[in-house]
Amino acid sequence: MDYSKMKPESLMMSYGYKPNLSEGSIKCPIFQTSTFVFENAMQGKKFFEVAYGLREKEENEELGLIYSRLNNPDLEILENRLCLWDNAEDCAVFESGMSAITTAMMEFMKPGDLLLYSKPLYGGTDHFINNFLKKLNIKAIGFMANDSKEDIISKINNSSRSNKLSMIHIETPANPTNSLIDIEMCNEIKSLFSIEENQPVLSVDNTYMGPIWQHPLKHGADIVLYSATKYIGGHSDVIAGACLGSKELIRRVKGLRTFFGNMAGPLTGWLLMRSLETLKVRMDQQAKNAVYVADFLKKHPKVEKIYYLGEKAKNGTNEEKELIKKQYASYGAMISFDIKGGEKEAFKFLDNLKLIKLAVSLGGTESLAEHPKTMTHADVLASEKEIMYITDKLIRISVGVENYNDLISDLSQALNSI
Ligand SMILES: *Cc1c(COP(=O)(O)O)cnc(C)c1O
């Protein structure tokens, strides 16, 4: 059997785990331990030499288990499995999406550097960039999905730090309006500002579409970041994050993770391995349900406009249509829409939902709805909210795995209550 030819969904139940090392247990146990016993002192010495990079690994030598802040079987097997979906060389898992994002940013940027980022970004990331990184004298410039490549290049040139561009960080499709950014275009911009003594890192927060529907590494991203709290965890019962990329870049991220101490714990690793077994079936069902939900919303008289990849693929600009074909394997399961009216109508609708819960977060088995302007994106500048279509009438829905007819009945009765 050639495992390398199999699809990730076939390997999620067993890959990287050896039952004979755990009393034949079919599932990887939770290695709830802080430290690991060495067979002898020489083994301990050798493990540390590799862990601290004092020498290169010998051929076929694996990093031994030392201490759960450095490594733990639940994390290592999970990391190996996550690599399969994105075809990445290595992965580091974290105790939250925010810790994955902030650790990567701290590793690849230093005071005096320039960061280019897409807008809108996840609120927590935006806050970190515009508050904490600013204090470290890291300058950040944002661009919008509809800015042209030339606009973005001149923004960098006008920043007075164009030779210090150390990171480009983007989210596509953007939350909450599903605006699209071309990852290959960002990679071209990166190359323009790449000089021998300064090689920028292109990072993509793939939480909204990954790891099934978009594979940023294939389009030139250097690292992919996830809030594993969302689709990867998928059951709204765990907070976690991940960073994937080349061996060399992830070695650096793991190095900083060791000293920040923000790795995921064994239970988190175990929960995510369990989640990965059903990742494909869950996400397939969610995307399928979203097609029906979007179709219902689009035709409803109380709905003004929908923001959904399937709608852009049909009625978007030619650029959008081409980008969807190139970059996405599905239209996803996140739908936003403008309700006719304003905050009053939007709240009435949200308060009347029954099966669909009123909560932030996304990607879980249950469908959720929220009001971005006053909830997830409350922190965005008022002037920018308008430009980004984050208005009183905007509602965001994360479509779950329920029967789509029941979702539509719930949406229907809530819309009719207005
Ligand atoms: C939720 C989310 C995050 C933050 O992840 P946590 O697991 O909550 O720390 C980052 N980016 C995106 C796009 C998210 O949706």
Side-chain angles (χ1 to χ4, degrees):
M1 294 280 266
D2 184 357
Y3 284 99
S4 67
K5 290 213 174 74
M6 288 187 191
K7 295 275 192 271
E9 61 267 30
S10 305
L11 299 173
M12 284 304 114
M13 283 60 77
S14 60
Y15 185 76
Y17 171 68
K18 300 189 184 96
N20 63 342
L21 296 179
S22 297
E23 307 277 9
S25 165
I26 186 157
K27 288 292 145 189
C28 179
I30 305 171
F31 286 86
Q32 191 67 44
T33 185
S34 59
T35 195
F36 297 85
V37 177
F38 303 136
E39 280 174 13
N40 52 53
M42 184 52 77
Q43 186 189 49
K45 175 180 170 176
K46 286 190 161 171
F47 286 0
F48 267 95
E49 284 171 351
V50 174
Y52 282 177
L54 304 177
R55 64 170 173 86
E56 289 297 310
K57 269 189 238 179
E58 283 163 28
E59 217 177 313
N60 296 327
E61 182 180 10
E62 284 181 31
L63 176 59
L65 293 164
I66 297 176
Y67 182 69
S68 288
R69 180 157 45 75
L70 278 66
N71 52 9
N72 175 291
D74 290 296
L75 299 200
E76 290 197 338
I77 299 169
L78 169 65
E79 288 167 349
N80 293 339
R81 289 183 188 176
L82 280 170
C83 283
L84 297 178
W85 297 99
D86 276 299
N87 202 9
E89 285 177 15
D90 204 357
C91 168
V93 290
F94 289 84
E95 200 52 65
S96 69
M98 279 315 300
S99 53
I101 294 166
T102 55
T103 304
M105 287 188 169
M106 296 290 277
E107 176 57 30
F108 297 121
M109 291 192 284
K110 57 182 186 312
D113 279 357
L114 177 69
L115 163 71
L116 176 74
Y117 69 101
S118 64
K119 292 200 290 196
L121 277 187
Y122 179 72
T125 312
D126 190 277
H127 188 91
F128 183 74
I129 290 173
N130 290 302
N131 292 275
F132 186 75
L133 290 183
K134 205 179 233 170
K135 269 198 321 207
L136 297 190
N137 184 24
I138 291 169
K139 186 168 174 171
I141 46 179
F143 69 96
M144 307 265 296
N146 54 359
D147 284 344
S148 69
K149 186 176 169 186
E150 290 66 36
D151 289 341
I152 301 170
I153 292 170
S154 60
K155 277 186 183 184
I156 301 172
N157 281 328
N158 293 337
S159 72
S160 76
R161 287 193 190 176
S162 61
N163 59 342
K164 293 272 168 60
L165 178 69
S166 55
M167 199 162 187
I168 302 177
H169 178 79
I170 63 167
E171 275 176 36
T172 176
N175 174 8
T177 54
N178 282 322
S179 356
L180 303 172
I181 293 166
D182 187 339
I183 300 171
E184 281 173 11
M185 175 197 75
C186 294
N187 193 31
E188 287 161 18
I189 294 173
K190 183 190 89 173
S191 305
L192 289 177
F193 294 93
S194 188
I195 45 178
E196 189 158 352
E197 60 283 11
N198 186 53
Q199 314 265 336
V201 169
L202 172 56
S203 96
V204 178
D205 180 334
N206 199 30
T207 302
Y208 236 57
M209 292 301 263
I212 304 236
W213 300 325
Q214 174 172 255
H215 296 110
L217 298 176
K218 239 176 39 187
H219 301 283
D222 298 300
I223 58 171
V224 189
L225 292 158
Y226 289 105
S227 166
T229 311
K230 314 294 166 56
Y231 286 105
I232 293 175
H235 294 70
S236 307
D237 56 7
V238 64
I239 299 272
C243 175
L244 295 102
S246 67
K247 274 204 161 67
E248 174 51 22
L249 295 181
I250 301 304
R251 186 187 60 74
R252 289 177 56 185
V253 171
K254 279 187 173 166
L256 192 57
R257 185 186 67 173
T258 291
F259 300 105
F260 279 168
N262 53 2
M263 72 298 152
L267 176 61
T268 297
W270 183 87
L271 278 167
L272 292 181
M273 278 195 273
R274 184 175 174 144
S275 289
L276 281 182
E277 298 189 7
T278 55
L279 181 74
K280 178 80 170 35
V281 286
R282 282 187 280 115
M283 290 180 75
D284 281 352
Q285 187 63 45
Q286 286 172 274
K288 196 171 134 197
N289 284 353
V291 174
Y292 291 104
V293 168
D295 190 50
F296 165 81
L297 288 171
K298 189 176 152 66
K299 291 181 185 144
H300 200 283
K302 290 192 174 151
V303 173
E304 203 172 278
K305 183 176 175 190
I306 67 166
Y307 306 84
Y308 168 60
L309 262 61
E311 173 62 15
K312 290 180 200 283
K314 228 186 274 160
N315 299 316
T317 63
N318 283 340
E319 269 178 337
E320 282 175 325
K321 288 179 187 167
E322 272 165 36
L323 188 54
I324 289 173
K325 266 196 216 133
K326 176 170 81 170
Q327 212 164 273
Y328 299 94
S330 159
Y331 301 144
M334 294 300 295
I335 303 171
S336 294
F337 67 96
D338 287 337
I339 207 158
K340 282 197 183 137
E343 185 184 280
K344 188 165 143 261
E345 288 74 15
F347 281 16
K348 179 101 185 164
F349 165 78
L350 289 168
D351 290 342
N352 275 289
L353 288 170
K354 302 213 158 46
L355 180 65
I356 300 172
K357 299 301 174 218
L358 170 54
V360 299
S361 197
L362 61 101
T365 43
E366 70 279 89
S367 296
L368 301 175
E370 64 114 3
H371 189 245
K373 184 176 174 190
T374 57
M375 297 171 192
T376 44
H377 295 70
D379 211 21
V380 176
L381 284 176
S383 55
E384 295 199 337
K385 276 183 186 153
E386 281 297 322
I387 309 172
M388 298 190 282
Y389 307 103
I390 304 170
T391 60
D392 286 326
K393 57 189 175 180
L394 185 74
I395 291 181
R396 187 188 81 178
I397 298 186
S398 168
V399 180
V401 300
E402 302 91 338
N403 184 295
Y404 63 83
N405 285 317
D406 293 331
L407 293 175
I408 290 171
S409 309
D410 194 25
L411 292 166
S412 173
Q413 63 80 24
L415 282 167
N416 294 335
S417 75
I418 302 168

